[in-house]
Amino acid sequence: MPPTLSAPGYQQVSIADLGTHLSQVTFVVVDLETTGGSPKDSAITEIGAVKVRGGQVLGEFQTLVDPGHEIPPYISVLTGITSMMVATAPRIDAVLPGFLEFARGAVLVAHNAPFDLGFLKAACAESGIPWPGAASVDTAVLARRLLSRDEVPNCKLGTLAPYFSAATSPTHRALDDARATVDVLHGLFERLGPLGVTTLEELTGLTRQIDPERRRKRHLADGVPHGPGVYLFRGPRDEPLYVGTSTDLRSRVRSYFSSSEQRSRITEMVRLAHRIDTISCAHALEAAVRELRLIAEHKPRYNRRSRFPERALWVRLTEEPFPRLSVVRRVRPDAGVFLGPFPDRRAADAAVAAVHEVLPLRQCTARLSPRTPVSACVLAGMGRCGAPCTGAQSVVEYADIAAVFAAAVHSDPRPLMAPLLDRVDRLAAEERYEDAAVLRDRIAVLVRAVRRRQRLESLAAVPELVLARPDGTGGWELSVVRYGRLVAAGTAPSGSTVRRVLPGLLATAETLPGIDVAPTTSVDETELVLRWLEKPGTRLVQLTGTLASPAPGTGAYSGFLGQVEAGRAERDPFADGRSLGTRARPERIASPA
């Protein structure tokens, strides 16, 4: 009988055997409280951490930390941690060794991990302690990959904790927030099983997952050239899906088929795409302008910005014997004074409310006749209106009041702004801080709108100007602008001169009917041109007409706007600037092709 051969020593292993199973991984969930939003000028005031493995809590770490300076009052209101509470607490260099020992060998977990880990790394660097370089998991990003917007509106900790029935509610105290994050982490782990993610390696690679279908479409970028321009993804019926712009078309388009592109809507768009069209441009300004025009024309479903420029809102001072303020969508020449545009109704209403605080313009919508008096409304009794409807105010007297608003829009906002700012000071002196803050924010909206209107109007009134910017290689990027619209773009390469190229550029430039006929372009396009004009290094080559800012304008209110922005940052110094919106549908993991 022949000898029996033993089977080769091969064994089929499951995917769970190819990495560290999540049930065997020790996680340390950490949360920090700090004196501000950046480790450059802020410090840690509290560290809270929870060590877990296999769904079981192994230990907790919590300590207050002396930041070395006073804790700002608004931080104390937010976190409940005061300077007195941390007066006897250890400094961060004394706390870090204990925390790092607690977290030794574990995977660090945090909600908005760049914030917490950024502070810890900065503290280690300042204390001369080497950072261990542990693996990390961001529950905010993980939630964004696994939850749909039908389940939660966003992926903030305060939203996810009640959704997963966390035993501890987030309170802006480190240990409470860490405990809540533990429950969120376990809730997210329950979503990983159906997706086939069972190991630490698969978990950390989840955010870098490349859809095989998207990878197979890399050939769509084969013919895309280098250089600035616009690209347009087209769908199965040749419909525009998405329009974008780049200074290097080939590199940008190729990135849509790599792991660097993780936006859910873009992933979905790439799956639908059948073709990519490109338009090479002379420089970045031409590319940005063409992108705006294509988005406004085609309204691609996967573009979010600039799809509906016609939806912008304006505040109009009507043309009638007793004009009033009205929020409208269209600007018509010689139809009154227009202020804007505003991005939404809320901003427009805030500007109108600010004007009504100091100008007794009528707020009723009926048309009034100087010859037919009617009864007054309650605003007249409150002193908020001069009651022109009753004949108590003549057309000339009322026109003097309306002229203050018109002057503010066109050139001099001081008569309108001065009483508004005085009112803010009076409210603050009376300790009516909430009312003062509301009025201050309304004034800021009004000032920004006036400033934007004046800047755009000054450029839109210029019949023609030629701009040049250095291209970085010894040549020049040229733009011809008429009434705020880009009508020609070109380059003067190194070795050539602008004057030699300019005649041909002007000869082929788009001809416009003129500013008195109709607006020649969108506000967004004029704003793009204006920003390009104001960049350092831009040269004014040729000008027809006058390019000037109105005087005195809004320059005197730059300090006020800066204070408002600083106050807004102080109100929420820990705001996560990343997009944490949920996906249209949960992530699906597929095996590589």
Side-chain angles (χ1 to χ4, degrees):
M1 219 182 139
T4 303
L5 298 177
S6 61
Y10 301 132
Q11 182 179 359
Q12 179 68 41
V13 297
S14 66
I15 191 170
D17 298 322
L18 300 179
T20 307
H21 198 278
L22 291 176
S23 63
Q24 304 302 317
V25 178
T26 300
F27 296 95
V28 169
V29 182
V30 62
D31 186 81
L32 306 181
E33 301 302 330
T34 66
T35 61
S38 171
K40 295 180 180 179
D41 52 16
S42 304
I44 298 171
T45 60
E46 186 179 28
I47 299 178
V50 181
K51 183 183 293 186
V52 295
R53 183 174 62 239
Q56 300 296 319
V57 175
L58 304 181
E60 293 184 342
F61 180 96
Q62 187 276 332
T63 180
L64 291 171
V65 180
D66 180 6
H69 54 78
E70 291 291 320
I71 298 177
Y74 62 91
I75 297 294
S76 295
V77 171
L78 182 67
T79 65
I81 301 174
T82 64
S83 297
M84 184 175 296
M85 291 172 60
V86 300
T88 58
R91 297 295 295 271
I92 188 64
D93 54 355
V95 171
L96 278 174
F99 170 76
L100 294 178
E101 180 62 30
F102 177 79
R104 180 192 296 272
V107 176
L108 294 178
V109 180
H111 199 79
N112 186 14
F115 175 85
D116 298 281
L117 300 189
F119 267 92
L120 289 172
K121 291 176 182 178
C124 284
E126 186 176 349
S127 304
I129 301 174
W131 177 252
S136 63
V137 174
D138 190 337
T139 50
V141 174
L142 188 59
R144 184 172 180 267
R145 298 282 288 174
L146 299 176
L147 300 177
S148 72
R149 64 172 61 99
D150 293 331
E151 296 173 288
V152 289
N154 57 63
C155 294
K156 298 178 181 178
L157 183 59
T159 302
L160 297 177
Y163 177 76
F164 287 113
S165 301
T168 305
S169 299
T171 61
H172 276 297
R173 290 300 300 268
L175 188 56
D176 282 349
D177 288 7
R179 289 169 174 167
T181 305
V182 168
D183 291 335
V184 170
L185 179 68
H186 289 158
L188 293 171
F189 278 0
E190 293 178 0
R191 299 297 187 95
L192 295 177
L195 301 181
V197 177
T198 59
T199 67
L200 176 63
E201 290 72 18
E202 291 169 331
L203 176 64
T204 55
L206 179 59
T207 58
R208 299 189 298 272
Q209 180 76 17
I210 306 177
D211 183 14
E213 184 179 351
R214 181 170 58 165
R215 188 164 50 230
R216 284 194 293 268
K217 289 191 174 183
R218 284 180 294 187
H219 67 278
L220 296 178
D222 289 347
V224 176
H226 288 286
V230 180
Y231 55 90
L232 194 153
F233 282 80
R234 292 189 179 273
R237 297 182 300 276
D238 215 33
E239 75 277 17
L241 297 175
Y242 184 81
V243 177
T245 181
S246 176
T247 56
D248 188 335
L249 284 171
R250 184 170 181 81
S251 297
R252 181 68 185 101
V253 171
R254 285 171 64 89
S255 72
Y256 283 90
F257 307 99
S258 70
S259 62
S260 62
E261 181 53 72
Q262 293 295 334
R263 291 174 293 175
S264 58
R265 76 182 193 284
I266 298 302
T267 299
E268 183 178 305
M269 180 274 295
V270 172
R271 289 171 182 160
L272 296 174
H274 279 219
R275 193 176 93 236
I276 300 175
D277 293 338
T278 59
I279 304 173
S280 296
C281 298
H283 46 67
L285 176 61
E286 183 189 6
V289 168
R290 286 185 179 274
E291 178 192 33
L292 272 179
R293 294 176 185 175
L294 286 170
I295 292 174
E297 177 185 356
H298 298 292
K299 297 179 173 34
R301 57 193 278 197
Y302 290 98
N303 281 96
R304 287 183 176 175
R305 296 182 179 180
S306 307
R307 287 178 64 193
F308 302 101
E310 66 276 7
R311 292 183 181 177
L313 296 173
W314 300 77
V315 173
R316 174 195 176 202
L317 182 67
T318 59
E319 286 278 295
E320 51 185 317
F322 299 110
R324 61 184 180 87
L325 297 181
S326 174
V327 179
V328 299
R329 290 198 181 277
R330 293 182 58 195
V331 175
R332 293 182 288 116
D334 302 322
V337 178
F338 290 86
L339 174 63
F342 295 90
D344 51 44
R345 183 72 189 221
R346 184 177 181 180
D349 288 343
V352 171
V355 174
H356 283 154
E357 284 285 341
V358 293
L359 288 185
L361 294 172
R362 70 184 184 95
Q363 300 182 39
C364 54
T365 58
R367 293 192 66 87
L368 301 182
S369 171
R371 297 183 296 273
T372 309
V374 296
S375 58
C377 65
V378 67
L379 291 176
M382 297 170 59
R384 302 289 297 271
C385 177
C389 53
T390 66
Q393 200 171 30
S394 69
V395 173
V396 175
E397 292 170 337
Y398 190 91
D400 291 338
I401 297 172
V404 175
F405 176 79
V409 171
H410 293 305
S411 60
D412 189 2
R414 293 175 300 179
L416 177 62
M417 301 300 176
L420 281 170
L421 295 175
D422 289 342
R423 180 166 173 75
V424 172
D425 293 338
R426 288 198 307 272
L427 291 172
E430 297 169 2
E431 299 185 356
R432 297 168 59 185
Y433 300 117
E434 291 185 0
D435 293 338
V438 170
L439 181 56
R440 178 201 60 195
D441 291 344
R442 288 175 177 175
I443 298 171
V445 172
L446 180 61
V447 172
R448 292 192 197 98
V450 171
R451 168 172 292 185
R452 188 182 187 194
R453 176 66 172 164
Q454 291 179 357
R455 292 173 70 248
L456 295 175
E457 202 170 42
S458 63
L459 181 61
V462 178
E464 182 179 279
L465 72 160
V466 180
L467 305 172
R469 278 188 57 78
D471 64 2
T473 61
W476 294 90
E477 299 172 346
L478 305 178
S479 299
V480 180
V481 180
R482 292 172 182 167
Y483 298 116
R485 179 181 177 89
L486 182 69
V487 295
T491 58
S494 179
S496 182
T497 64
V498 172
R499 293 296 178 186
R500 184 180 301 173
V501 175
L502 189 56
L505 196 62
L506 292 174
T508 58
E510 179 183 0
T511 301
L512 302 179
I515 195 171
D516 294 331
V517 177
T520 59
T521 188
S522 69
V523 171
D524 290 338
E525 179 174 333
T526 303
E527 207 155 30
L528 277 176
V529 173
L530 190 58
R531 286 200 294 268
W532 204 74
L533 168 64
E534 293 175 343
K535 282 184 178 180
T538 302
R539 306 288 182 87
L540 183 59
V541 178
Q542 188 170 298
L543 173 67
T544 302
T546 302
L547 178 63
S549 299
T554 59
Y557 303 100
S558 298
F560 165 76
L561 292 177
Q563 291 176 356
V564 173
E565 291 299 324
R568 181 176 290 109
E570 289 179 354
R571 272 175 265 169
D572 191 4
F574 309 112
D576 191 345
R578 300 174 301 164
S579 172
L580 293 179
T582 51
R583 290 175 174 259
R585 56 186 179 183
E587 190 67 21
R588 294 290 180 263
I589 307 299
S591 59

